[in-house]
Amino acid sequence: MNFSGLIQDFGPLTITGLAQGAIIALFALGYTLVYGVLRLINFAHSEVFLLGTFACIWAWELFGLDQNTAIPSVPAVIGLLVLGLVAAIVLSGVTALGVEFIAYRPLRKRNAPPLAFLITAIGASLFISETMGVITQRNIRAVPALIHPRDVFVIGNMHVTNLQILIIVLALVMMFVLDRFINSSRLGRGIRAVAQNPDSAALMGVNKGRVISLVFLLGGLMAGIAAVMYDLKVGVTRFDAGFLLGIEAFTAAVLGGIGNLRGALVGGLLLGLLQNYAASLFGTEWLHAASFVLLVLILLVRPTGLLGESLGRARA
């Protein structure tokens, strides 16, 4: 165990872990939203994220941006970033709605057992992933160099870059906006009502089908934003890019308390930090194993996760 390396690089490991954790947290929101309302683990959410990683690349390529293109100015960077976000949000949101409409809604109408939903989710995930594999010929797609990481400030040996700040701040802002939407808006109250008691919510005039579609759409929007941040940070994507990160995002949702929006944020940030610390302490081959060890240990003490509050009982 490399304790000296962990102590020496604690600052850089922390900031990179927070940036990675912010992406995981945004991704995890889709899992926790759907589970909070439907008690369904939507494994197809990883492919909703996957399509977002390709959508922004396709949008940038339409405007002639590639690996060799020099970005002329800050306004151009902002414009292209917004373009990529819009493209990823739209495709991820439409995909999430499509999965709900084609795969899950017929099962709900037939009162299918939970196992049928689980198998359908896995099938939808594999179908989308393999379809993208055929389209891309299973090649790695490079992401255009839209933002070149530059140091904004330095504390000791910790170099905080503009990209890391963008990822962390954007994740926190989107988490705050979503939390306020769920807790303060009329539609958000409908989501909480269905999550708490679907039958009572229906008697009060809440359209359950519309609420479920909204939940899938919100999860898709968060996944689209996470996809753009992932592209900018990692620099490449491929047809199965959502698989491992999806497992990590689901782990973060369970870690924080699945069905709890704030728990997804806490779990994602904590998971990102732990992965970096474990990679430094034990070696990169233990990076993912350490995450699941932590999950098991926490669930032994807190079976409902760190925060543990369900979406239906959320309060403003």
Side-chain angles (χ1 to χ4, degrees), residues 146-289:
L146 181 63
I147 298 178
H148 297 281
R150 292 187 177 88
D151 291 348
V152 176
F153 59 88
V154 179
I155 302 176
N157 65 339
M158 182 175 69
H159 296 252
V160 181
T161 68
N162 51 353
L163 182 57
Q164 290 168 336
I165 293 175
L166 172 66
I167 293 172
I168 295 171
V169 170
L170 185 59
L172 293 176
V173 169
M174 294 312 302
M175 178 64 230
F176 176 79
V177 170
L178 182 61
D179 186 73
R180 289 296 88 202
F181 176 80
I182 294 295
N183 286 295
S184 303
S185 71
R186 185 166 176 262
L187 292 173
R189 287 194 294 272
I191 291 173
R192 296 197 339 256
V194 172
Q196 189 169 8
N197 193 317
D199 296 330
S200 297
L203 290 174
M204 297 300 292
V206 178
N207 189 320
K208 180 181 175 181
R210 195 170 298 171
V211 165
I212 291 172
S213 295
L214 175 61
V215 164
F216 274 87
L217 177 62
L218 290 174
L221 299 184
M222 296 300 110
I225 296 172
V228 177
M229 297 300 103
Y230 172 88
D231 276 351
L232 294 176
K233 181 177 184 295
V234 177
V236 296
T237 188
R238 52 175 290 162
F239 75 99
D240 59 353
F243 175 73
L244 184 57
L245 196 64
I247 294 176
E248 293 174 355
F250 177 69
T251 302
V254 175
L255 185 64
I258 192 163
N260 187 310
L261 297 180
R262 296 169 188 176
L265 177 65
V266 172
L269 294 176
L270 183 61
L271 193 63
L273 289 172
L274 174 73
Q275 286 182 339
N276 269 21
Y277 296 154
S280 175
L281 190 60
F282 303 110
T284 54
E285 63 271 16
W286 290 94
L287 186 147
H288 301 294

Side-chain angles (χ1 to χ4, degrees), residues 2-315:
N2 185 14
F3 284 105
S4 61
L6 175 62
I7 295 173
Q8 181 178 354
D9 297 328
F10 185 80
L13 291 171
T14 298
I15 189 63
T16 54
L18 288 174
Q20 178 68 11
I23 295 172
I24 294 173
L26 279 176
F27 196 165
L29 289 173
Y31 287 111
T32 207
L33 275 169
V34 172
Y35 184 85
V37 173
L38 288 176
R39 296 298 184 267
L40 165 68
I41 302 171
N42 178 25
F43 284 115
H45 187 61
S46 58
E47 275 56 55
V48 171
F49 166 86
L50 167 68
L51 290 177
T53 65
F54 280 96
C56 59
I57 295 176
W58 293 334
W60 289 331
E61 288 179 347
L62 283 176
F63 282 77
L65 184 64
D66 57 30
Q67 289 291 309
N68 301 318
T69 303
I71 307 300
S73 62
V74 173
V77 171
I78 295 174
L80 289 168
L81 180 60
V82 172
L83 173 67
L85 285 169
V86 170
I89 285 172
V90 169
L91 185 55
S92 292
V94 170
T95 303
L97 286 175
V99 169
E100 190 276 326
F101 183 79
I102 296 172
Y104 299 138
R105 186 172 298 186
L107 295 178
R108 290 206 318 274
K109 289 181 178 179
R110 291 172 173 81
N111 293 318
L115 183 59
F117 285 91
L118 181 61
I119 294 173
T120 301
I122 296 173
S125 173
L126 291 173
F127 173 78
I128 297 173
S129 176
E130 290 303 312
T131 299
M132 287 303 300
V134 172
I135 293 173
T136 63
Q137 298 180 341
R138 300 180 180 267
N139 293 324
I140 295 175
R141 291 295 301 272
V143 179
L146 181 63
I147 298 178
H148 297 281
R150 292 187 177 88
D151 291 348
V152 176
F153 59 88
V154 179
I155 302 176
N157 65 339
M158 182 175 69
H159 296 252
V160 181
T161 68
N162 51 353
L163 182 57
Q164 290 168 336
I165 293 175
L166 172 66
I167 293 172
I168 295 171
V169 170
L170 185 59
L172 293 176
V173 169
M174 294 312 302
M175 178 64 230
F176 176 79
V177 170
L178 182 61
D179 186 73
R180 289 296 88 202
F181 176 80
I182 294 295
N183 286 295
S184 303
S185 71
R186 185 166 176 262
L187 292 173
R189 287 194 294 272
I191 291 173
R192 296 197 339 256
V194 172
Q196 189 169 8
N197 193 317
D199 296 330
S200 297
L203 290 174
M204 297 300 292
V206 178
N207 189 320
K208 180 181 175 181
R210 195 170 298 171
V211 165
I212 291 172
S213 295
L214 175 61
V215 164
F216 274 87
L217 177 62
L218 290 174
L221 299 184
M222 296 300 110
I225 296 172
V228 177
M229 297 300 103
Y230 172 88
D231 276 351
L232 294 176
K233 181 177 184 295
V234 177
V236 296
T237 188
R238 52 175 290 162
F239 75 99
D240 59 353
F243 175 73
L244 184 57
L245 196 64
I247 294 176
E248 293 174 355
F250 177 69
T251 302
V254 175
L255 185 64
I258 192 163
N260 187 310
L261 297 180
R262 296 169 188 176
L265 177 65
V266 172
L269 294 176
L270 183 61
L271 193 63
L273 289 172
L274 174 73
Q275 286 182 339
N276 269 21
Y277 296 154
S280 175
L281 190 60
F282 303 110
T284 54
E285 63 271 16
W286 290 94
L287 186 147
H288 301 294
S291 305
F292 296 107
V293 170
L294 175 69
L295 175 65
V296 170
L297 292 176
I298 289 179
L299 291 181
L300 287 173
V301 180
R302 293 273 301 175
T304 57
L306 291 174
L307 302 187
E309 187 183 12
S310 70
L311 184 65
R313 297 179 181 177
R315 292 290 182 266

